[in-house]
Amino acid sequence: SDAYEVYYDARGTYFTVHMYPNPDGLFVFFKDITESKKAQEELAGYQNKINAFFFSVTDANFLLDAEMRIVAFNKTGSEYVHAIHGVEPRIGELITNFGSPESNQAFKSFFNRALQGEEIAHEVKISYLDKNISHWWNVRYLPARNSTG
């Protein structure tokens, strides 16, 4: 059996076509998948917009799940982690792997408040003892919401 997608321009319709050989010839089945294709295209459009925003900002951004595991990060976030820690962040890794015990304690407190819907911004000085440097950061914790809030 073979299957493929076709676009029928005269009707503006997408189909999947399935062909099955049989002793009497060939069975051919058409299924209208236009709505599904439109939804895929719309989703791809949203994804492109999100990526354009997320990857064009010069701030270090990390999207975390409720367990503080990295879901996504932008180029600046990756460069920051690599410059300070000498490793690349990985999807699924705990963000707390990159903080000191002291900074992680504060981070967890702010993170939990953000999970409850509070937007938080504060300045913090982070020292990297192994590098003998410190940086001041303006850190924002923003709850990530879906389309229903």
Side-chain angles (χ1 to χ4, degrees):
S1 75
D2 285 328
Y4 56 93
E5 291 183 3
V6 296
Y7 178 70
Y8 184 49
D9 197 28
R11 291 190 59 202
T13 306
Y14 289 93
F15 293 96
T16 55
V17 181
H18 296 269
M19 296 181 294
Y20 301 93
N22 71 50
D24 297 324
L26 186 67
F27 284 125
V28 180
F29 298 95
F30 294 86
K31 181 178 180 184
D32 183 343
I33 58 166
T34 305
E35 291 305 313
S36 174
K37 287 297 274 188
K38 286 180 180 178
Q40 287 175 354
E41 290 170 359
E42 186 176 342
L43 184 59
Y46 286 132
Q47 187 65 45
N48 288 338
K49 289 175 186 174
I50 290 168
N51 286 344
F53 171 77
F54 193 66
F55 293 107
S56 66
V57 295
T58 57
D59 299 330
N61 286 289
F62 293 88
L63 178 62
L64 308 176
D65 67 13
E67 284 77 41
M68 292 189 238
R69 295 192 181 281
I70 299 171
V71 174
F73 54 89
N74 66 352
K75 181 180 177 185
T76 306
S78 177
E79 290 170 348
Y80 158 72
V81 169
H82 187 265
I84 298 299
H85 300 284
V87 297
E88 298 292 329
R90 294 184 317 266
I91 303 297
E93 186 168 18
L94 287 169
I95 194 72
T96 52
N97 290 350
F98 305 112
S100 68
E102 299 81 28
S103 65
N104 282 344
Q105 183 177 357
F107 180 89
K108 288 175 185 178
S109 174
F110 290 127
F111 180 84
N112 287 327
R113 287 171 50 195
L115 281 181
Q116 300 304 311
E118 185 179 349
E119 292 186 15
I120 301 162
H122 74 100
E123 290 183 347
V124 61
K125 183 179 182 180
I126 300 177
S127 298
Y128 309 98
L129 300 177
D130 58 330
K131 302 266 188 220
N132 198 28
I133 58 172
S134 60
H135 291 245
W136 279 94
W137 291 93
N138 181 2
V139 181
R140 295 186 69 206
Y141 301 81
L142 303 171
R145 297 180 175 95
N146 62 20
S147 62
T148 60

